[in-house]
Amino acid sequence: RVRLPLLVVDGLLWSSNLLKIANSGWVPIVIALAVFGVLSTYNWGREEEAALLLAECDAEEGAASSDITSSLRIPALEAAVRACGYPRTRAVGIYLTPYDWRVPRSLGTLADACGSLPGTIVLLNVRFEDVPFVPAEERVDLAVISDELGLYQASVRFGYAEPLNAAQGLHATLVAAKQPKLSALLAAHARLPTRASAQVAAPSVHYILNRLHHIVRPEHGPLCRLRVSLYKWLKQNECP
C-alpha cells in the first residue's frame, strides 16, 4: 500500500525529466555511459588477464617441465634454476610482476637471450591498498624462496593517498627490508656512485618490467575488438 504512492510520485518525476533530454539533458547521460564503458572495459580486461595467466599456470602444472622459459609458478622456478645450468652473475635482478603467485615471463626470456641468470633474483609485486596510508613497518613483506639459490619474493604496499615520491623510493624501501643478505646487496649498489666507493665492485641492480601484448584476433566480434583496443590503450597509458 505504501509502495504504490511512492512509485506514482517517482514515475511522475522521472517522466517529467524525460522532456529535458532533448534540451541538452543527453550530455550527462552520454558522459556517464562513456565513463561506465571505460571502467567496465578496464575491469573486464583485468579479469581476462588474470584468467589467462591462471590457465597458463594450470597448464604448466599438468606438464612438468624444468625449462626456465616456461616456469610460471614459484616452485617450478626453483626447480628450473637448479636444473638450467645457466651461469650466475653478481647482478641483482628485480622482476616486477602484477601477481605475487606468478613468475613473469621476462625472467625466462632474458635468461634465454643472455645465457645467464642474476646471482640474486627478486620477484617484486607492488600493490596499492584501499587505505590512504600504509605504516612503514607494514610496507614490505619479504619471503625467502631459496637463500642458497638467491631467490626472494617481495610485496610492497602503498596507500592510495600517498604521494608519488613514496613509490619512487622503492629501492630505499627494499634496502630497509629485514633480510640481511638482500639488503646488503642493494645498499652496496646504492653507495656505488659516491667517490669514496668508486673502487668497490658493487653488484649492479636491474629493475625489469613485464608487459603483456594485447592483440585483436580475427575471430573476435566488433564489440570484443572495440573492448580489446580500448583496454590496450588504457594499459599503454596507465601510470607505471
Side-chain angles (χ1 to χ4, degrees):
R1 295 180 180 179
V2 179
R3 293 178 182 176
L4 184 58
L6 293 177
L7 289 175
V8 172
V9 173
D10 288 341
L12 291 174
L13 180 62
W14 179 76
S15 60
S16 63
N17 287 327
L18 289 178
L19 301 175
K20 301 179 182 179
I21 293 179
N23 188 19
S24 301
W26 56 270
V27 175
I29 296 177
V30 171
I31 294 175
L33 290 175
V35 172
F36 174 77
V38 171
L39 295 179
S40 62
T41 298
Y42 187 80
N43 185 60
W44 167 81
R46 293 286 292 177
E47 291 178 352
E48 289 291 320
E49 271 188 12
L52 175 63
L53 298 179
L54 189 59
E56 288 183 348
C57 291
D58 292 340
E60 180 200 42
E61 289 183 351
S65 173
S66 59
D67 185 7
I68 195 169
T69 59
S70 60
S71 299
L72 301 178
R73 287 190 183 271
I74 293 175
L77 172 65
E78 186 176 357
V81 170
R82 292 183 184 275
C84 68
Y86 284 133
R88 306 293 295 274
T89 67
R90 296 188 67 250
V92 179
I94 301 178
Y95 298 84
L96 276 78
T97 175
Y99 305 100
D100 54 6
W101 47 266
R102 177 184 163 87
V103 177
R105 286 196 178 274
S106 55
L107 195 158
T109 302
L110 288 176
D112 187 56
C114 300
S116 62
L117 278 171
T120 303
I121 297 174
V122 182
L123 304 180
L124 176 61
N125 172 243
V126 180
R127 300 198 305 264
F128 289 89
E129 304 291 346
D130 295 331
V131 295
F133 300 97
V134 175
E137 61 274 10
E138 300 177 6
R139 189 172 300 281
V140 182
D141 294 326
L142 186 61
V144 179
I145 302 172
S146 173
D147 209 10
E148 173 193 358
L149 298 175
L151 296 177
Y152 304 91
Q153 184 180 21
S155 293
V156 182
R157 304 165 60 228
F158 294 98
Y160 63 82
E162 294 188 78
L164 185 60
N165 57 6
Q168 291 172 343
L170 189 58
H171 190 81
T173 301
L174 291 175
V175 170
K178 297 179 180 179
Q179 213 297 320
K181 182 178 178 180
L182 179 60
S183 297
L185 289 172
L186 296 176
H189 169 75
R191 292 192 299 268
L192 182 60
T194 62
R195 292 185 178 180
S197 59
Q199 303 300 322
V200 179
S204 58
V205 179
H206 305 277
Y207 286 82
I208 298 97
L209 299 177
N210 183 67
R211 284 187 177 273
L212 295 176
H213 296 280
H214 307 88
I215 302 174
V216 177
R217 296 181 178 178
E219 64 269 20
H220 287 162
L223 179 59
C224 189
R225 287 171 177 266
L226 177 62
R227 300 187 84 177
V228 171
S229 300
L230 177 58
Y231 183 71
K232 179 181 179 180
W233 181 83
L234 291 173
K235 292 293 289 184
Q236 289 175 343
N237 293 276
E238 69 178 357
C239 293

